[in-house]
Structures are given as C-alpha cells and as structure tokens.
Amino acid sequence: MTSNATRESTRPAERPRSGTLLAVEDLRTVIHTARGDLKAVDGVSFTLDRGETIGIVGESGSGKSVLGRTIMGLHTTGPTTTISGRVMFDGRDVQSLGPKDLRSLWGSQIGMVFQDPMTALNPVKKIGVHLTETLRKHQGLGRTPARERAVELLDLVGIPDPRRRIDQFPHEMSGGMRQRVVIAMALANEPALLIADEPTTALDVTVQRQILDLLGNLQAEMGMAIILISHNLGVVAGRADRVAVMYAGRVAETADAKTLFADPRHPYSEALLRAIPRLHEPPHVRLAAIDGAPPNMVQPPVGCRFAPRCAYAQEDCRTVLPELEPAATGHLFACHHPVNRGEN
Amino acid sequence: MIGSPLDLWKEETLTKVLKRVAELVAVLFIVSLGTFWLVSKMDTDPAVTMLGEGRTEAEYAAVRDDLGLNDPLLVRYWDWLSHAVTGDLGKSVVPPYNGISDRIAGALPVSVELAVLGMGMALLFCIPLAMWSAYRPGGRVDRLVGAGALGVLSIPSFLAGLLIIMVLANGLGWFPRAQWTRLGDGIGQNLYHAFLPALTIALAETAMFTRILRNDLVTTLQDDFIMSAKAKGMGPVHIMVSDALRPSSFSLMTLMGIGLGRLIGSTVIVEYLFALPGMGSLVIGAANTGDFVTVQGAVLVIAVIYVLTNALIDASYGYLDPRIRRAHV
Ligand SMILES: Nc1ncnc2c1ncn2[C@@H]1O[C@H](COP(=O)(O)OP(=O)(O)OP(=O)(O)O)[C@@H](O)[C@H]1O
Ligand SMILES: [Mg+2]
C-alpha cells in the first residue's frame, strides 16, 4: 500500500504531458575502427515532444541503432568513440552526465526495447527477477511489493497467467511473450521516453502486429514518447506521428507521417515506400529492393551519400552534399533533385 | 489422464539419475580392473616383500598361496573387489602389516582438506580478479593480472612452495612450516597449519581459474542481455555478479571438477614440502616399499572420489543453466 502511494506521488501523474522532451542537435557519433573513423551518425537533428512518436527508418547499417544508443548515453566519448553535437533530454545534456547520473536515467526516465527478444533476457534469470531488479533499483521497492508490481506489469503487457509466468525462465516462453517481457522491463518505471529498436523484426508477422498494438496502447495509457526504429516504413505507418528517414548516418527526409507517405520528396524515401512488404501478397513475391549496396561509412561519397544508387542523380549530386531544406512546415528533405515535384 | 506433468517430471528425473549411477558404476569397475591389472604387472613379488631375506621355499609357497597369488588374475580381482565394496581393502604386505582401509582413513582427510581448501582459496581469489580484468579487456588491470597469472603458472609448484615457506614461515614467522593438527583436534589449529600448503596449491589453480573465467566473462559481457541490463540502469558490479558470472562459469566448473580429483592424488610435492601425512605420501611410500596392496587400495579410493566429484560438477550445470535441466541426461 505504502509503496503504491510513493509510486504514484513520484510517477508520471504529476509529470507534464506536453512540451519538448528531447532535442537532438547536430549529433555525430564517430566510431574509431581498425579501418578508419566510421561516421555512424553524421549530423542528425530532431526534436520529440512528450507523448509523441517518431519513426526512424532506414536500411541496415544506416546508423539507427547507434543513434538510439547515443541518445540514451550508452555510447559516450572515449577511446573508441567520439561524439559531438547535443542531446537534451528533459532539460539535461545527456553527454555531460556522469556514469551514476546516466544509470539513474536508464530504465527509469528512458527505457529501451531491443531487437531480439531471444537474446535480450538473461537465460539463467527468472522472468520475475528481470522486472524486480529494475523496480527495486529505481523505485526502492521491497521484495514483496516489487514482485506484486512485476505481476501487474506482466498482466499489463498481456501475458496470461502472470503469477505462474513470473517464475519461469526465458527459454520457457515464445518469442512474442519474451518481447512482451522486454517491454514490461523497459516500461517498469514508466519512463518518459521509450526507445524501441526494431522491436518486432525478429518476430513473425501476426505477432509483430500484436506487439506494435501493445506499444500503442501502453503509450495511450502511460503517455511516454517513443522513438520507433525500423528498417521497414510499413512498421511505422499508422503508429508514428512523425517519420525521419535515415541514410548513411544522416536524415534524408523528415515529415509528419501522413505527408511522408503521401508526398515523399527524397528518392530514397520513395524507394523505401516501394519496398514495404504487403501482407496480402504471397510471401514469395520479391520486394522492390533498392539496387546497390549501402555506402562505406568510413569514406562516404563526397556529395549526396545516396547519389551512387540514385536513379535521378546528376552531376551536382556527386560533388555537393545536400543539406536539409524545408518543403513545407515540418517537412524537410536533403536532395538537389527531389521527386514528386508537381504536387507541391 | 496419463499422469500429471509433475509425476512425469519425477519419473524422468529418476530415470536420469539411475542412468547416471549405472554409468558411474561402470566407470569405476573399469578403473578398478585397470589398476588391479597394472599393479599385478609390477615386477615386485609381494611374497618376497613380505618375507624379506632368509625365507625357506616352503614358507614362500605358503605365503604366495595365502595371498592368493597362484590364482588367475580375474579370480584374485573378484576376491579383492568383493572385499573392497565392504570397505575392506586388505592388509599391507610390509610391517607393521596394518589394515589398508585404516591407513587410507588416516591419510585421506588430509589430502581432501588440502585440495578443498586450496580450491576454495583459488575460487575466492579468481572471481574478483577475473571480474576486474574482464571489466576492461586489454586495460591495465587486465594486462597486469594476465602477466601475473602467466608468471605464477611458469613457476614449478615446489619452488612456489619453497618461496612461500621462506617468506611466510621462515622470514616473517607467521606460520609453522611442518606441522599438522588433525581436524578433530581443533579446527583453528588445523586451519592454521593447513594454510600454507593450501596456499601453495591455490597459487597455480588461481592463475588457471582467473584466465579461464576472465575469458568467459569477456565473451558473456558481449551478449545482448548485458546491454539490456545496462539499459535498465544496473551498475557494473550488479551486472558482473548477477548477470555475467553464472553464465560464464561452465569452463571454471569443469576445471574445478577435474582439478579437485587430480589434487587429491597429486599433492605429493606439497605434502612432501610440508611433511604432511596425506594420500600422496601414502602412495609414494607404498610404491617405494613394494606394498602393492596399499597402492591398489589408494588408487581405487582416489578414482572413486574423482568420478564422484565430476558427477557432482555435471549435476551443477543444471543450476548454472536452467535450459540444461530438462534438455538431456
Ligand atoms: N560497436 C561498433 N563498432 C564498430 N562499428 C559499429 C559499432 N556499432 C555499429 N557500428 C557500425 O555503425 C554503422 C551503423 O550501425 P547501426 O547498428 O546503427 O545500424 P542500423 O541502422 O541499426 O542497422 P540494422 O538495421 O542492421 O540494425 C554500421 O556500419 C555498423 O557496422
Ligand atoms: Mg540496428
């Protein structure tokens, strides 16, 4: 009882429900590898309001995960990594926080859901422990209240028979159930921001839908902001308020979701749209994959990163790097020769 | 209803355990037959050993007959084994001709205690060292501990023992050099006397354990679930102790199982250095005097312990990884 009271007094009830939560300003993450400096994130800026969802979409290797981890402060400047630019979370500069402050942020203010639920849980720990340890650390709950809360959380993420499940080991659950546990873990302390890094990529299609719906419902209930990372535009369709398309560590185009789907201006966004797998097509129909390979991020092309693969590329694309420029309010793209020109 | 899952589980476990026991018995049978056969090939004649000089032909024949040496090997083996399972390993063939089981009962606790203490110390030392090294692979601590481990491993154990005696016993005078108090005669005194020999054993084991555990920790720390624990805000100590250690201890457990069995029979050098009445001294002494019955008995006991510890270690894998519990035998 007492624990519940404390929880409610310090938890989101009194948190503001609007306003800017996250501001990412010209963020760059350079990883020093044996082959040279890898520009995994190369000048990304965006803001995210409380309760809002932004979809970050791009091919494998475009830097989505590194971006997510840098925002969270899991990457910090050190011997292998250099970070510049700024991440302001809830008025605090994440990169300037020490390890202790970061740890009190992680799992309590920012939660993270990982791609592969089969490996994100410790195989030798019971489901319950995964949840209670974060509750105990961040909310100071005792053993019994933490366990009670863990049961509630499992129930919340739609796991049937939570009192039995809580004493099971991860290998006794299906992938979808495990991802629900991972979500419960990330949301245990009702964070203001949830970073979901390809939360459904490892799951089969029907389960994907269930998990995404679950995230949506929980968001409506708890009011957290979500960064939804995916390589598939279809996943963020209808779930994100805004979408940022990433290519080679940079934002190629960003707009509110409706605009981006209706009126993509960057040839890469257009290509990604064509690549959305459709459920009603038989699985053997090949997707309209994008020709060519993602660029070398150690020595990226001089001009537009996408130029070597772009059907519309011209001379200036190979020499001048296009900056983000507005097409309309809130709609930015970085392209010298945008597509769908007529409609604007 | 065929039976509840619990009944089924119990039945499965029972079959598993029975299978395991059958295996162990088979292994022990083979080991004991092997040692019996090997010892029978030793070119000392126990009857000669027993009688010494100045025997008559008739006496000699009588003793050989008495010891059963004229029977075929398998008959003698069966005779020996059927007594051995009742705890009677026969009598020594050299003066004072006392019962072998009694001699082993005197020596075994010394060796077991040394091995267990040495292992325990090594375990105690290796866990923090390995964690500290694995925290930053290639960092200063890691390189220092790695070099230290290599150094310790390259010193022969008698030299390490001598150094320990020189410094801690002769130099600083903190510990006695060659005394032994039985566990029954006071645990404090016993531990005090056992400390240096156990430390000598622990040195090399620590070095080995630290390397193995450190490598496995480094691998485990790359796993996704470590990142997900970190993303929950768990601190580095919590992650090491509660997330990384258990999944990283398989090789360590195996090494410990093998090591414990090995140590019980092979602490000879340490027993010699510290003048301890353990199994090592017993076997060497018996072998030197041609006391084949004692060697046979001692080897059998060591083999039994070896096989049992390893069975125990195998069982512990189920604790280390719940996925193994139901997967296979
Ligand atoms: N720890 C690391 N060390 C070296 N290179 C890294 C590291 N992490 C990421 N990279 C590199 O950074 C680039 C971006 O990787 P990232 O994982 O962010 O891509 P992604 O968009 O998440 O792709 P995916 O869809 O495959 O998850 C890749 O070229 C990757 O090889
Ligand atoms: Mg990724």
Side-chain angles (χ1 to χ4, degrees):
Chain A
M1 273 292 96
T2 36
S3 63
N4 236 11
T6 28
R7 193 172 65 77
E8 268 157 27
S9 66
T10 57
R11 289 287 125 193
E14 61 186 42
R15 216 155 49 191
R17 286 250 170 178
S18 58
T20 304
L21 176 69
L22 177 74
V24 177
E25 296 160 20
D26 195 27
L27 192 65
R28 287 164 205 272
T29 308
V30 179
I31 301 173
H32 309 294
T33 69
R35 288 174 296 118
D37 288 355
L38 189 148
K39 300 161 196 74
V41 178
D42 196 15
V44 169
S45 305
F46 67 90
T47 62
L48 185 66
D49 286 345
R50 292 175 191 283
E52 194 188 14
T53 301
I54 187 168
I56 308 247
V57 181
E59 285 174 304
S60 183
S62 55
K64 308 178 299 288
S65 296
V66 174
L67 175 65
R69 291 199 292 264
T70 309
I71 289 172
M72 202 165 173
L74 282 165
H75 285 300
T76 44
T77 295
T80 59
T81 313
T82 305
I83 291 165
S84 63
R86 231 157 52 122
V87 177
M88 293 298 289
F89 173 79
D90 207 4
R92 289 197 283 177
D93 181 350
V94 172
Q95 285 298 320
S96 73
L97 297 178
K100 231 184 136 198
D101 288 331
L102 279 173
R103 283 202 296 273
S104 70
L105 201 68
W106 297 338
S108 106
Q109 293 298 307
I110 307 180
M112 187 140 187
V113 174
F114 294 89
Q115 175 169 342
D116 190 354
M118 303 317 249
T119 56
L121 298 171
N122 189 332
V124 308
K125 271 187 177 174
K126 289 182 177 176
I127 298 301
V129 179
H130 284 89
L131 295 164
T132 51
E133 60 185 12
T134 177
L135 291 164
R136 299 186 68 177
K137 176 179 163 71
H138 294 293
Q139 298 185 32
L141 296 185
R143 202 175 284 273
T144 317
R147 195 179 154 85
E148 280 312 300
R149 178 69 185 141
V151 171
E152 280 173 40
L153 281 165
L154 290 179
D155 193 40
L156 188 70
V157 296
I159 291 181
D161 199 1
R163 279 189 196 280
R164 185 171 63 87
R165 291 292 192 170
I166 196 171
D167 287 320
Q168 289 191 331
F169 286 98
H171 71 274
E172 297 173 84
M173 290 187 158
S174 69
M177 283 296 148
R178 286 194 220 185
Q179 195 62 312
R180 286 171 194 266
V181 173
V182 174
I183 290 172
M185 220 159 80
L187 296 181
N189 301 300
E190 307 188 14
L193 173 63
L194 180 73
I195 302 179
D197 189 353
E198 313 231 17
T200 60
T201 306
L203 304 172
D204 66 56
V205 182
T206 39
V207 183
Q208 280 188 18
R209 162 106 31 85
Q210 291 165 6
I211 294 289
L212 291 168
D213 288 345
L214 171 69
L215 277 179
N217 296 340
L218 292 170
Q219 183 179 32
E221 202 164 313
M222 298 182 178
M224 74 272 185
I226 298 182
I227 298 180
L228 182 58
I229 296 175
S230 178
H231 61 261
N232 179 358
L233 260 177
V235 163
V236 305
R239 324 223 175 236
D241 303 303
R242 272 187 311 133
V243 177
V245 174
M246 263 184 97
Y247 189 80
R250 298 173 65 84
V251 173
E253 181 164 10
T254 174
D256 66 76
K258 214 179 268 166
T259 312
L260 192 102
F261 283 98
D263 182 27
R265 305 303 303 274
H266 199 290
Y268 181 61
S269 316
E270 192 189 42
L272 275 181
L273 270 171
R274 277 204 308 268
I276 295 180
R278 284 178 215 288
L279 289 182
H280 58 261
E281 277 174 8
H284 60 265
V285 172
R286 288 220 20 171
L287 303 178
I290 302 165
D291 285 337
N296 175 346
M297 311 249 282
V298 176
Q299 278 174 313
V302 181
C304 174
R305 309 291 192 235
F306 188 57
R309 299 167 71 186
C310 180
Y312 312 91
Q314 299 185 16
E315 211 35 55
D316 52 347
C317 300
R318 297 182 222 286
T319 49
V320 183
L321 179 65
E323 293 297 328
L324 275 175
E325 53 185 88
T329 357
H331 185 179
L332 302 165
F333 62 88
C335 180
H336 296 310
H337 305 283
V339 292
N340 297 330
R341 208 181 270 276
E343 295 170 33
N344 227 338
Chain B
M1 281 302 273
I2 307 165
S4 75
L6 188 68
D7 289 341
L8 207 68
W9 183 78
K10 274 184 188 153
E11 209 180 294
E12 262 177 42
T13 321
L14 191 68
T15 339
K16 255 195 267 184
V17 169
L18 286 179
K19 256 175 144 175
R20 192 72 226 197
V21 170
E23 254 174 55
L24 292 183
V25 170
V27 168
L28 286 175
F29 184 74
I30 293 165
V31 168
S32 61
L33 185 59
T35 40
F36 193 86
W37 179 76
L38 267 180
V39 169
S40 77
K41 292 279 160 208
M42 291 203 319
D43 58 0
T44 45
D45 185 335
V48 175
T49 314
M50 202 163 170
L51 289 169
E53 301 297 319
R55 57 183 186 267
T56 68
E57 250 341 279
E59 271 175 338
Y60 176 70
V63 166
R64 273 193 74 88
D65 206 43
D66 193 32
L67 288 174
L69 290 173
N70 295 325
D71 297 333
L73 183 73
L74 278 179
V75 173
R76 280 191 280 146
Y77 170 67
W78 182 249
D79 194 39
W80 174 72
L81 189 68
S82 52
H83 282 99
V85 293
T86 67
D88 174 15
L89 289 169
K91 279 191 169 36
S92 171
V93 291
V94 296
Y97 309 110
N98 35 13
I100 291 164
S101 301
D102 291 341
R103 293 183 64 189
I104 291 178
L108 190 60
V110 180
S111 292
V112 170
E113 188 187 345
L114 276 186
V116 169
L117 275 182
M119 280 290 177
M121 276 188 192
L123 197 61
L124 219 63
F125 297 151
C126 84
I127 290 177
L129 282 175
M131 285 182 172
W132 205 13
S133 301
Y135 183 59
R136 282 188 208 291
R140 203 176 317 161
V141 175
D142 189 26
R143 278 175 295 157
L144 201 73
V145 171
L150 209 65
V152 167
L153 282 176
S154 61
I155 303 175
S157 71
F158 78 88
L159 201 63
L162 280 177
L163 281 173
I164 285 178
I165 290 171
M166 261 170 58
V167 177
L168 294 176
N170 299 350
L172 298 168
W174 290 351
F175 293 94
R177 181 188 162 168
Q179 283 176 32
W180 185 257
T181 311
R182 301 210 158 265
L183 198 55
D185 301 338
I187 184 154
Q189 205 58 15
N190 165 271
L191 286 179
Y192 181 55
H193 290 154
F195 186 81
L196 285 192
L199 183 66
T200 310
I201 291 172
L203 271 186
E205 304 296 319
T206 305
M208 235 168 356
F209 290 0
T210 307
R211 289 315 288 167
I212 291 282
L213 183 60
R214 176 261 179 214
N215 287 350
D216 287 354
L217 277 172
V218 168
T219 311
T220 305
L221 288 170
Q222 315 267 331
D223 281 346
D224 286 357
F225 62 81
I226 297 294
M227 180 64 101
S228 90
K230 211 176 153 190
K232 279 193 300 192
M234 297 296 130
V237 176
H238 177 101
I239 288 180
M240 277 288 181
V241 175
S242 133
D243 286 293
L245 182 59
R246 201 130 71 87
S248 310
S249 9
F250 287 87
S251 318
L252 181 65
M253 279 306 232
T254 310
L255 203 63
M256 278 186 66
I258 298 169
L260 205 59
R262 170 173 50 79
L263 279 181
I264 287 171
S266 70
T267 53
V268 188
I269 291 165
V270 175
E271 287 178 20
Y272 172 77
L273 272 179
F274 292 90
L276 303 177
M279 291 295 278
S281 313
L282 183 68
V283 174
I284 296 289
N288 282 340
T289 51
D291 184 359
F292 81 110
V293 202
T294 304
V295 174
Q296 244 168 33
V299 170
L300 180 70
V301 170
I302 291 170
V304 169
I305 292 177
Y306 193 81
V307 168
L308 287 183
T309 16
N310 278 291
L312 225 71
I313 296 285
D314 277 358
S316 77
Y317 290 150
Y319 164 76
L320 289 176
D321 188 344
R323 283 169 300 186
I324 294 178
R325 258 172 241 176
R326 304 201 58 183
H328 60 95
V329 186

